Each structure stands twice: as structure tokens, then as C-alpha cells.
Amino acid sequence: MSDDKKRDDYTIEMGERDKAAFERPMTPRQAPTSASGLANNPIIPVLSYCASSILMTVTNKYVLSGTGFNLNFFLLCVQSVVCVVAIQTCKSFGFITYRDFNSDEAKKWFPISLLLIGMIYTSTKALQFLSIPVYTIFKNLTIILIAYGEVLWFGGSVTGMALFSFGLMVLSSVIAAWADIQHALQSYGHSSNESSEKVATLSSGYIWMMFNCFCTAAYLLGMRKRIKLTNFKDYDTMFYNNLLSIPILLVCSLLVENWSAENVTLNFPPAQRTNLIIAMVFSGLSSVFISYTSAWCVRVTTSTTYSMVGALNKLPIALSGLIFFDAPVTFPSVSAIAVGFVSGIVYTFSKIKQNSKPKVGVLPTTNSPMSASTQSTRDGFKT
């Protein structure tokens, strides 16, 4: 399961503090080689990061868009198993490092894994009913919830430019929803049963998308507080999230989902069964690709560049839905993508401008308001 899919959507939230999590200890400078020069070329990790993000979204949509697919918990369980096997294999070969399993740390992290399951499950349901462009546009609304969550719980602030970007995000979502409904009515007729069913399907997608926005905000805000307590790094988070999720997802799949022979055949038609299984495995591997390429991107570029890549990445993801699937290409739908893309750019610039403000260079003589990171650290030790 893609624990690191969130980076694809919220890299602009991470700021400078994530760079420290990815930075490696200082090593003696060595003479550059052609291989190291290629690895340190910023264009390659940026393109790899964008490609892995698009790959995961497209493979998930391919599986979920199958006729009558309803084994969402099973899909997430397969992704989690593939992810754990993949990173454990990489660790065995010395490509990556992360902590060994510890029961005390697992107990502390378990609530975050539950929030992750809620986030990913609602994400799959929304992606099942909505097109990739609309799904990507509505994902921006989570940024608003996160921003005001940080104001309430971590002492953050929202600038005027950020408020303007929030307005653009809401506007793009309204345009996208209106374009979707209008296309359904025009395609099937205003009074036909097909149009009613299509509008009902879209309404279900919007409801799941609303749940996903709240679950995602809760997961990211909760993880921010909990990660201060555990001091987890990138692959530690991925390992525990996926490992702890496997038994829960497996039980939910066995108890909630229909495992009759007829339903299994419906979800995995014989003609497409092999392709679907390959896509499910590949989507699990994509989460590892996203984690690695995001770490690679941060290591060889600046945090500002990484944040901008996260905002620009929304455009190719949205366009992938127009290219690989039958998402409607109309003026309103393209306008919604454009407005959503601009809103991400404006928000990124607002965060860059906010983070570039010089700090006061004098010792305070009164109790001044604490920064978000300081408050988060203090709250973490209280937990």
C-alpha cells in the first residue's frame, strides 16, 4: 500500500524539516565519476519522481476501473505485502536501511496505521468513481484542511497568498464537479436512467472524496505529531505502516468483502486476470519507487525545487487520466485542471515566501508564540 503516495500530493507541506530526514551524514569528498555525476543530475530524479507518481495513479485506476471491482481491501493488502517484501529485500542487499521491528514502537505507531488505512481505502473508493483529473483536483482541498489543522494544533499561520490559493482550489473543484455532471447529462440525456445512474455514481465519488480529504488530513497531522515521538525516518515509516496494515486489511477483506466464486470471477475476469494481478503487484512496487525517488529528489535538489516539483506534478497526473482513460476532454474540465494547477503553484510560492522570512535575531524577553515545529516537538514528548 502506498504510504508514500501522500508525498505525491502534499510535498508542498513538508518544508525544510523533511530535508533533514533524508540527508545523509557528511562523508569525505571524493573525485566525481560519471556514475555519480549522473546520479546527482537533478533532472533525472525529478523525472523519476514524476514518472513513479503517474505510474502508481494509473495502475490503481486500471485495477479499480474494472467492471464491478469491489475487493478494495484485498487490493490494499496485496500492495502492503508487496511493499514490505520489496523494502525488506532491498534492506537485505544493503540498498536501504531502516529499524528492525520493535513491539513498543509498533504500539505507538498503530493508530497512525489505522488512519493510513482510512486514507488509502477512501482514496481507492473515490478513484473508483471519479476520473483521474477530478480526483487530482479535489485532492488539493486536503491542503486547506491541513493548513488550518496546523493553525489549530501546531501554532501555524496562513498568509494572504495562501488564502488566495485556497480560493483557487475551491474554484477548480467546483468547475470540475460541474463539468463532470454536465458531461453526464449531455451524454445520456437529462431524463434518461443512464444519466441518473451516472450522476449518482459521481455523487458517490464526491462523498468518498470528502471522506478521503478528512482522513488524509487526520493522517498527516497525526503522523507529524507521532513522528516526533518515534523519530522515524522515511523507510521506518513505510515499513511500520505497511506491516501493521496487513493483518487489519486481511481481516477486513475476509469479513466484509464477498469472496464467492461469482464475485471473484467478476473482479478478475479470466481474460484480464493476469494483467490485473500484475497491475496490483506493480502498484505496490510503485510506492517503493515514490519513496526512493522522493528521497533522491530531495538529496540532489533544494527543498524549494522539491516543493515546486510537487506542485507541478499535479498537471501530468491529471493529463494521464485524459490520455490513458476515457476522462471527458471539455473546456470546463481542462479549465478546472488549469485552475487547480495554478492554485498549487500559488500555494507553493506562498510557503516559499513564508519560509524565507528572516528570523528575529534577538533573545526574547517575553513568552513569544512558539513555532509550529517547536510546538510539535513539545507535544510529541508529552504524548
Side-chain angles (χ1 to χ4, degrees):
M1 177 170 52
S2 171
D3 143 58
D4 289 275
K5 182 176 181 293
K6 66 183 189 301
R7 279 190 185 77
D8 181 37
D9 296 309
Y10 307 105
T11 52
I12 50 183
E13 290 294 323
M14 308 302 274
E16 293 291 335
R17 62 181 177 273
D18 268 354
K19 188 174 181 181
F22 289 124
E23 286 177 344
R24 297 178 178 178
M26 295 295 292
T27 56
R29 186 171 298 177
Q30 299 176 349
T33 63
S34 58
S36 62
L38 187 64
N40 291 325
N41 187 335
I43 297 177
I44 297 176
V46 167
L47 293 178
S48 300
Y49 172 67
C50 293
S52 61
S53 302
I54 295 172
L55 185 64
M56 177 156 198
T57 304
V58 171
T59 52
N60 275 338
K61 180 63 177 176
Y62 173 76
V63 175
L64 294 168
S65 61
T67 304
F69 188 87
N70 53 32
L71 299 178
N72 295 65
F73 281 120
F74 176 69
L75 169 64
L76 300 182
C77 185
V78 171
Q79 291 177 345
S80 292
V81 171
V82 170
C83 185
V84 171
V85 171
I87 61 176
Q88 184 62 43
T89 302
C90 291
K91 182 181 180 181
S92 301
F93 283 97
F95 298 140
I96 62 174
T97 59
Y98 56 85
R99 306 180 190 185
D100 294 328
F101 181 79
N102 182 282
S103 58
D104 291 334
E105 291 179 335
K107 292 177 183 177
K108 295 176 182 177
W109 196 259
F110 185 71
I112 306 300
S113 295
L114 290 178
L115 290 174
L116 175 67
I117 292 173
M119 181 188 80
I120 302 298
Y121 180 77
T122 55
S123 175
T124 61
K125 296 297 289 186
L127 191 59
Q128 188 170 358
F129 294 122
L130 299 176
S131 65
I132 291 179
V134 175
Y135 170 82
T136 305
I137 292 169
F138 271 84
K139 267 295 192 181
N140 280 337
L141 296 179
T142 311
I143 297 175
I144 304 176
L145 298 177
I146 294 172
Y148 282 100
E150 290 196 344
V151 170
L152 292 175
W153 293 308
F154 298 105
S157 61
V158 177
T159 63
M161 186 180 292
L163 283 174
F164 177 65
S165 71
F166 294 163
L168 291 177
M169 292 174 190
V170 174
L171 177 61
S172 65
S173 301
V174 172
I175 295 174
W178 175 79
D180 250 9
I181 294 174
Q182 285 297 113
H183 181 267
L185 294 176
Q186 292 174 3
S187 299
Y188 301 103
H190 287 69
S191 59
S192 65
N193 293 331
E194 291 84 354
S195 64
S196 299
E197 293 176 1
K198 182 63 177 178
V199 171
T201 299
L202 293 175
S203 299
S204 300
Y206 300 142
I207 293 173
W208 280 112
M209 196 73 243
M210 179 185 68
F211 287 143
N212 178 251
C213 288
F214 283 102
C215 289
T216 303
Y219 166 69
L220 293 175
L221 292 170
M223 185 179 66
R224 176 182 169 183
K225 183 175 182 179
R226 186 62 62 175
I227 208 168
K228 298 292 182 180
L229 179 65
T230 58
N231 197 29
F232 275 2
K233 302 302 180 185
D234 186 57
Y235 287 108
D236 298 322
T237 302
M238 177 180 261
F239 173 68
Y240 275 93
N241 268 338
N242 286 279
L243 185 65
L244 296 177
S245 299
I246 291 173
I248 302 173
L249 293 170
L250 183 59
V251 170
C252 288
S253 179
L254 294 175
L255 295 180
V256 176
E257 295 176 334
N258 183 3
W259 281 96
S260 64
E262 294 79 7
N263 193 57
V264 171
T265 303
L266 177 66
N267 283 269
F268 299 97
Q272 302 176 352
R273 185 168 299 168
T274 302
N275 291 337
L276 286 172
I277 294 175
I278 293 175
M280 293 172 70
V281 173
F282 210 68
S283 63
L285 291 175
S286 297
S287 64
V288 183
F289 297 155
I290 291 176
S291 178
Y292 177 78
T293 54
S294 61
W296 186 15
C297 191
V298 169
R299 180 171 56 84
V300 301
T301 65
T302 64
S303 292
T304 301
T305 303
Y306 181 59
S307 298
M308 187 60 69
V309 169
L312 296 174
N313 199 30
K314 296 295 182 67
L315 181 60
I317 291 177
L319 292 178
S320 68
L322 303 179
I323 297 172
F324 298 108
F325 299 95
D326 58 348
V329 182
T330 62
F331 179 76
S333 65
V334 175
S335 300
I337 294 174
V339 175
F341 175 70
V342 172
S343 69
I345 298 297
V346 173
Y347 183 74
T348 301
F349 274 118
S350 73
K351 298 300 289 184
I352 293 172
K353 184 177 180 180
Q354 186 178 12
N355 292 334
S356 64
K357 288 183 179 180
K359 308 299 180 183
V360 179
V362 294
L363 291 175
T365 56
T366 60
N367 290 330
S368 58
M370 285 181 289
S371 66
S373 58
T374 304
Q375 183 66 49
S376 177
T377 303
R378 177 172 294 188
D379 291 343
F381 284 117
K382 288 180 181 179
T383 305

Short mmCIF file of all heavy atoms in Angstrom, two decimals, residues 54-98:
data_model
loop_
_atom_site.label_atom_id
_atom_site.label_comp_id
_atom_site.label_asym_id
_atom_site.label_seq_id
_atom_site.Cartn_x
_atom_site.Cartn_y
_atom_site.Cartn_z
N ILE A 54 2.90 9.17 -11.51
CA ILE A 54 1.92 8.90 -12.56
C ILE A 54 1.67 7.40 -12.67
O ILE A 54 0.52 6.95 -12.83
CB ILE A 54 2.42 9.46 -13.91
CG1 ILE A 54 2.51 10.99 -13.83
CG2 ILE A 54 1.51 9.04 -15.05
CD1 ILE A 54 3.18 11.61 -15.04
N LEU A 55 2.74 6.62 -12.57
CA LEU A 55 2.63 5.17 -12.70
C LEU A 55 1.71 4.57 -11.66
O LEU A 55 0.85 3.73 -11.97
CB LEU A 55 4.02 4.55 -12.60
CG LEU A 55 4.13 3.04 -12.85
CD1 LEU A 55 3.73 2.71 -14.27
CD2 LEU A 55 5.54 2.57 -12.56
N MET A 56 1.84 5.03 -10.43
CA MET A 56 1.01 4.46 -9.38
C MET A 56 -0.45 4.85 -9.56
O MET A 56 -1.36 4.01 -9.39
CB MET A 56 1.50 4.93 -8.01
CG MET A 56 0.62 4.43 -6.90
SD MET A 56 1.46 4.36 -5.35
CE MET A 56 0.37 3.25 -4.47
N THR A 57 -0.71 6.12 -9.89
CA THR A 57 -2.09 6.56 -10.08
C THR A 57 -2.76 5.80 -11.23
O THR A 57 -3.91 5.36 -11.12
CB THR A 57 -2.13 8.07 -10.35
OG1 THR A 57 -1.48 8.78 -9.29
CG2 THR A 57 -3.57 8.56 -10.46
N VAL A 58 -2.03 5.63 -12.32
CA VAL A 58 -2.60 4.97 -13.49
C VAL A 58 -2.84 3.49 -13.23
O VAL A 58 -3.90 2.94 -13.60
CB VAL A 58 -1.67 5.15 -14.72
CG1 VAL A 58 -2.13 4.28 -15.88
CG2 VAL A 58 -1.65 6.62 -15.14
N THR A 59 -1.91 2.81 -12.56
CA THR A 59 -2.10 1.38 -12.27
C THR A 59 -3.26 1.16 -11.31
O THR A 59 -4.04 0.20 -11.47
CB THR A 59 -0.82 0.75 -11.70
OG1 THR A 59 -0.35 1.54 -10.60
CG2 THR A 59 0.27 0.70 -12.75
N ASN A 60 -3.40 2.02 -10.30
CA ASN A 60 -4.53 1.89 -9.38
C ASN A 60 -5.85 2.11 -10.12
O ASN A 60 -6.83 1.38 -9.90
CB ASN A 60 -4.40 2.91 -8.24
CG ASN A 60 -3.54 2.39 -7.11
OD1 ASN A 60 -3.36 1.19 -6.96
ND2 ASN A 60 -2.98 3.28 -6.32
N LYS A 61 -5.88 3.11 -10.98
CA LYS A 61 -7.11 3.38 -11.73
C LYS A 61 -7.43 2.23 -12.67
O LYS A 61 -8.60 1.87 -12.85
CB LYS A 61 -6.94 4.69 -12.53
CG LYS A 61 -8.16 5.08 -13.36
CD LYS A 61 -9.37 5.35 -12.48
CE LYS A 61 -10.56 5.81 -13.30
NZ LYS A 61 -11.77 5.99 -12.47
N TYR A 62 -6.41 1.61 -13.24
CA TYR A 62 -6.63 0.48 -14.14
C TYR A 62 -7.30 -0.68 -13.40
O TYR A 62 -8.24 -1.30 -13.91
CB TYR A 62 -5.30 0.02 -14.74
CG TYR A 62 -5.40 -1.26 -15.54
CD1 TYR A 62 -5.95 -1.26 -16.82
CD2 TYR A 62 -4.95 -2.47 -15.01
CE1 TYR A 62 -6.06 -2.43 -17.55
CE2 TYR A 62 -5.03 -3.65 -15.74
CZ TYR A 62 -5.59 -3.62 -17.01
OH TYR A 62 -5.69 -4.78 -17.72
N VAL A 63 -6.82 -0.96 -12.19
CA VAL A 63 -7.41 -2.06 -11.41
C VAL A 63 -8.82 -1.70 -10.96
O VAL A 63 -9.76 -2.49 -11.09
CB VAL A 63 -6.52 -2.38 -10.19
CG1 VAL A 63 -7.19 -3.43 -9.31
CG2 VAL A 63 -5.15 -2.86 -10.63
N LEU A 64 -8.98 -0.48 -10.45
CA LEU A 64 -10.26 -0.08 -9.87
C LEU A 64 -11.33 0.18 -10.92
O LEU A 64 -12.53 0.16 -10.60
CB LEU A 64 -10.07 1.18 -9.02
CG LEU A 64 -9.20 1.00 -7.77
CD1 LEU A 64 -8.85 2.35 -7.17
CD2 LEU A 64 -9.89 0.13 -6.74
N SER A 65 -10.92 0.45 -12.14
CA SER A 65 -11.91 0.75 -13.19
C SER A 65 -12.44 -0.51 -13.84
O SER A 65 -13.24 -0.43 -14.78
CB SER A 65 -11.29 1.65 -14.27
OG SER A 65 -10.19 1.01 -14.90
N GLY A 66 -12.00 -1.68 -13.38
CA GLY A 66 -12.52 -2.93 -13.91
C GLY A 66 -14.02 -3.06 -13.64
O GLY A 66 -14.56 -2.46 -12.71
N THR A 67 -14.69 -3.83 -14.43
CA THR A 67 -16.14 -3.97 -14.32
C THR A 67 -16.52 -4.60 -12.98
O THR A 67 -16.21 -5.76 -12.70
CB THR A 67 -16.68 -4.86 -15.45
OG1 THR A 67 -16.28 -4.29 -16.70
CG2 THR A 67 -18.20 -4.92 -15.39
N GLY A 68 -17.14 -3.78 -12.13
CA GLY A 68 -17.64 -4.28 -10.86
C GLY A 68 -16.58 -4.61 -9.83
O GLY A 68 -16.85 -5.39 -8.91
N PHE A 69 -15.39 -4.04 -9.92
CA PHE A 69 -14.35 -4.36 -8.94
C PHE A 69 -14.76 -3.85 -7.56
O PHE A 69 -15.11 -2.68 -7.39
CB PHE A 69 -13.02 -3.71 -9.34
CG PHE A 69 -11.86 -4.17 -8.49
CD1 PHE A 69 -11.15 -5.30 -8.82
CD2 PHE A 69 -11.50 -3.48 -7.34
CE1 PHE A 69 -10.09 -5.74 -8.04
CE2 PHE A 69 -10.45 -3.91 -6.54
CZ PHE A 69 -9.74 -5.04 -6.90
N ASN A 70 -14.75 -4.73 -6.56
CA ASN A 70 -15.18 -4.35 -5.22
C ASN A 70 -14.31 -4.95 -4.11
O ASN A 70 -14.70 -4.91 -2.94
CB ASN A 70 -16.65 -4.75 -5.00
CG ASN A 70 -16.91 -6.22 -5.32
OD1 ASN A 70 -16.03 -7.07 -5.16
ND2 ASN A 70 -18.11 -6.53 -5.80
N LEU A 71 -13.15 -5.48 -4.45
CA LEU A 71 -12.25 -6.06 -3.44
C LEU A 71 -11.16 -5.05 -3.09
O LEU A 71 -9.96 -5.31 -3.22
CB LEU A 71 -11.64 -7.37 -3.96
CG LEU A 71 -12.62 -8.49 -4.29
CD1 LEU A 71 -11.89 -9.71 -4.83
CD2 LEU A 71 -13.43 -8.88 -3.04
N ASN A 72 -11.59 -3.89 -2.60
CA ASN A 72 -10.64 -2.81 -2.32
C ASN A 72 -9.69 -3.16 -1.18
O ASN A 72 -8.49 -2.85 -1.23
CB ASN A 72 -11.38 -1.53 -2.01
CG ASN A 72 -12.18 -1.01 -3.19
OD1 ASN A 72 -13.13 -1.66 -3.63
ND2 ASN A 72 -11.81 0.14 -3.71
N PHE A 73 -10.22 -3.78 -0.13
CA PHE A 73 -9.36 -4.16 0.99
C PHE A 73 -8.30 -5.17 0.54
O PHE A 73 -7.15 -5.12 0.98
CB PHE A 73 -10.19 -4.75 2.14
CG PHE A 73 -10.89 -3.72 2.98
CD1 PHE A 73 -12.27 -3.72 3.10
CD2 PHE A 73 -10.16 -2.76 3.67
CE1 PHE A 73 -12.92 -2.77 3.87
CE2 PHE A 73 -10.79 -1.80 4.46
CZ PHE A 73 -12.18 -1.81 4.56
N PHE A 74 -8.71 -6.10 -0.31
CA PHE A 74 -7.76 -7.09 -0.81
C PHE A 74 -6.67 -6.42 -1.65
O PHE A 74 -5.49 -6.77 -1.54
CB PHE A 74 -8.50 -8.13 -1.65
CG PHE A 74 -7.58 -9.14 -2.30
CD1 PHE A 74 -6.91 -10.08 -1.54
CD2 PHE A 74 -7.40 -9.15 -3.67
CE1 PHE A 74 -6.06 -11.01 -2.12
CE2 PHE A 74 -6.56 -10.07 -4.27
CZ PHE A 74 -5.89 -11.00 -3.50
N LEU A 75 -7.05 -5.44 -2.46
CA LEU A 75 -6.08 -4.70 -3.26
C LEU A 75 -5.06 -4.02 -2.36
O LEU A 75 -3.84 -4.10 -2.60
CB LEU A 75 -6.79 -3.66 -4.12
CG LEU A 75 -5.91 -2.62 -4.82
CD1 LEU A 75 -4.98 -3.28 -5.82
CD2 LEU A 75 -6.77 -1.55 -5.49
N LEU A 76 -5.53 -3.37 -1.31
CA LEU A 76 -4.62 -2.68 -0.40
C LEU A 76 -3.73 -3.66 0.36
O LEU A 76 -2.56 -3.37 0.63
CB LEU A 76 -5.42 -1.84 0.59
CG LEU A 76 -6.31 -0.75 -0.01
CD1 LEU A 76 -7.01 0.03 1.08
CD2 LEU A 76 -5.50 0.18 -0.89
N CYS A 77 -4.28 -4.83 0.69
CA CYS A 77 -3.49 -5.85 1.38
C CYS A 77 -2.36 -6.36 0.48
O CYS A 77 -1.22 -6.51 0.93
CB CYS A 77 -4.40 -7.00 1.81
SG CYS A 77 -3.57 -8.27 2.80
N VAL A 78 -2.67 -6.61 -0.79
CA VAL A 78 -1.64 -7.04 -1.73
C VAL A 78 -0.55 -5.98 -1.87
O VAL A 78 0.65 -6.28 -1.87
CB VAL A 78 -2.27 -7.35 -3.10
CG1 VAL A 78 -1.20 -7.58 -4.16
CG2 VAL A 78 -3.17 -8.57 -3.01
N GLN A 79 -0.95 -4.72 -1.97
CA GLN A 79 0.02 -3.64 -2.08
C GLN A 79 0.93 -3.57 -0.86
O GLN A 79 2.13 -3.35 -0.98
CB GLN A 79 -0.70 -2.31 -2.29
CG GLN A 79 -1.38 -2.19 -3.64
CD GLN A 79 -2.15 -0.89 -3.79
OE1 GLN A 79 -2.41 -0.18 -2.81
NE2 GLN A 79 -2.51 -0.56 -5.02
N SER A 80 0.36 -3.76 0.33
CA SER A 80 1.16 -3.72 1.56
C SER A 80 2.16 -4.87 1.61
O SER A 80 3.32 -4.68 1.98
CB SER A 80 0.25 -3.76 2.79
OG SER A 80 -0.50 -2.59 2.90
N VAL A 81 1.70 -6.07 1.25
CA VAL A 81 2.59 -7.23 1.26
C VAL A 81 3.74 -7.03 0.27
O VAL A 81 4.91 -7.28 0.60
CB VAL A 81 1.81 -8.51 0.92
CG1 VAL A 81 2.75 -9.69 0.71
CG2 VAL A 81 0.81 -8.84 2.02
N VAL A 82 3.42 -6.56 -0.93
CA VAL A 82 4.44 -6.33 -1.95
C VAL A 82 5.43 -5.28 -1.47
O VAL A 82 6.66 -5.43 -1.65
CB VAL A 82 3.79 -5.90 -3.27
CG1 VAL A 82 4.84 -5.42 -4.26
CG2 VAL A 82 2.99 -7.04 -3.87
N CYS A 83 4.93 -4.24 -0.85
CA CYS A 83 5.80 -3.17 -0.36
C CYS A 83 6.76 -3.66 0.71
O CYS A 83 7.96 -3.37 0.68
CB CYS A 83 4.96 -2.01 0.17
SG CYS A 83 5.91 -0.57 0.66
N VAL A 84 6.24 -4.43 1.68
CA VAL A 84 7.10 -4.95 2.76
C VAL A 84 8.15 -5.90 2.21
O VAL A 84 9.33 -5.83 2.58
CB VAL A 84 6.23 -5.65 3.83
CG1 VAL A 84 7.12 -6.39 4.82
CG2 VAL A 84 5.36 -4.64 4.56
N VAL A 85 7.75 -6.79 1.31
CA VAL A 85 8.70 -7.73 0.70
C VAL A 85 9.77 -6.98 -0.08
O VAL A 85 10.96 -7.30 -0.01
CB VAL A 85 7.96 -8.73 -0.21
CG1 VAL A 85 8.96 -9.57 -1.01
CG2 VAL A 85 7.05 -9.64 0.62
N ALA A 86 9.35 -5.94 -0.79
CA ALA A 86 10.30 -5.19 -1.62
C ALA A 86 11.33 -4.46 -0.78
O ALA A 86 12.54 -4.54 -1.04
CB ALA A 86 9.54 -4.21 -2.51
N ILE A 87 10.89 -3.74 0.25
CA ILE A 87 11.85 -2.97 1.04
C ILE A 87 12.71 -3.89 1.91
O ILE A 87 13.86 -3.58 2.19
CB ILE A 87 11.15 -1.90 1.88
CG1 ILE A 87 10.17 -2.52 2.88
CG2 ILE A 87 10.45 -0.90 0.99
CD1 ILE A 87 9.53 -1.49 3.82
N GLN A 88 12.13 -5.05 2.34
CA GLN A 88 12.94 -6.00 3.11
C GLN A 88 14.02 -6.60 2.22
O GLN A 88 15.16 -6.82 2.67
CB GLN A 88 12.05 -7.10 3.68
CG GLN A 88 12.77 -8.08 4.59
CD GLN A 88 13.35 -7.42 5.83
OE1 GLN A 88 12.71 -6.59 6.46
NE2 GLN A 88 14.59 -7.78 6.17
N THR A 89 13.70 -6.87 0.97
CA THR A 89 14.69 -7.37 0.02
C THR A 89 15.78 -6.34 -0.22
O THR A 89 16.98 -6.66 -0.23
CB THR A 89 14.02 -7.73 -1.32
OG1 THR A 89 13.00 -8.71 -1.08
CG2 THR A 89 15.04 -8.29 -2.30
N CYS A 90 15.38 -5.08 -0.39
CA CYS A 90 16.37 -4.01 -0.58
C CYS A 90 17.25 -3.86 0.65
O CYS A 90 18.46 -3.61 0.53
CB CYS A 90 15.66 -2.69 -0.88
SG CYS A 90 14.83 -2.62 -2.47
N LYS A 91 16.68 -4.04 1.83
CA LYS A 91 17.48 -3.95 3.05
C LYS A 91 18.47 -5.11 3.14
O LYS A 91 19.62 -4.93 3.56
CB LYS A 91 16.55 -3.95 4.28
CG LYS A 91 17.30 -3.82 5.61
CD LYS A 91 16.35 -3.86 6.78
CE LYS A 91 17.11 -3.74 8.10
NZ LYS A 91 16.20 -3.79 9.28
N SER A 92 18.04 -6.30 2.74
CA SER A 92 18.92 -7.47 2.77
C SER A 92 20.13 -7.29 1.88
O SER A 92 21.24 -7.75 2.20
CB SER A 92 18.15 -8.72 2.37
OG SER A 92 17.05 -8.95 3.22
N PHE A 93 19.95 -6.60 0.75
CA PHE A 93 21.05 -6.36 -0.17
C PHE A 93 21.83 -5.09 0.15
O PHE A 93 22.79 -4.74 -0.55
CB PHE A 93 20.54 -6.29 -1.61
CG PHE A 93 20.21 -7.62 -2.22
CD1 PHE A 93 18.91 -8.09 -2.22
CD2 PHE A 93 21.21 -8.41 -2.76
CE1 PHE A 93 18.59 -9.33 -2.77
CE2 PHE A 93 20.91 -9.65 -3.31
CZ PHE A 93 19.60 -10.12 -3.32
N GLY A 94 21.42 -4.40 1.21
CA GLY A 94 22.15 -3.21 1.64
C GLY A 94 21.85 -1.95 0.88
O GLY A 94 22.57 -0.95 1.00
N PHE A 95 20.76 -1.94 0.09
CA PHE A 95 20.41 -0.75 -0.68
C PHE A 95 19.80 0.33 0.21
O PHE A 95 20.00 1.53 -0.02
CB PHE A 95 19.45 -1.09 -1.81
CG PHE A 95 20.03 -2.04 -2.83
CD1 PHE A 95 19.25 -3.05 -3.37
CD2 PHE A 95 21.35 -1.93 -3.23
CE1 PHE A 95 19.78 -3.93 -4.30
CE2 PHE A 95 21.88 -2.80 -4.16
CZ PHE A 95 21.10 -3.80 -4.70
N ILE A 96 19.03 -0.08 1.21
CA ILE A 96 18.40 0.86 2.13
C ILE A 96 18.56 0.34 3.55
O ILE A 96 18.93 -0.84 3.75
CB ILE A 96 16.89 1.05 1.82
CG1 ILE A 96 16.14 -0.28 1.98
CG2 ILE A 96 16.69 1.63 0.43
CD1 ILE A 96 14.62 -0.14 1.83
N THR A 97 18.30 1.18 4.52
CA THR A 97 18.34 0.78 5.92
C THR A 97 17.11 1.33 6.64
O THR A 97 16.63 2.41 6.32
CB THR A 97 19.61 1.30 6.63
OG1 THR A 97 19.64 2.74 6.55
CG2 THR A 97 20.86 0.73 5.99
N TYR A 98 16.62 0.55 7.58
CA TYR A 98 15.56 1.02 8.47
C TYR A 98 15.59 0.14 9.71
O TYR A 98 16.26 -0.90 9.77
CB TYR A 98 14.19 0.99 7.78
CG TYR A 98 13.77 -0.35 7.24
CD1 TYR A 98 13.16 -1.31 8.04
CD2 TYR A 98 13.98 -0.67 5.90
CE1 TYR A 98 12.76 -2.54 7.53
CE2 TYR A 98 13.58 -1.89 5.37
CZ TYR A 98 12.98 -2.82 6.20
OH TYR A 98 12.60 -4.03 5.69
#
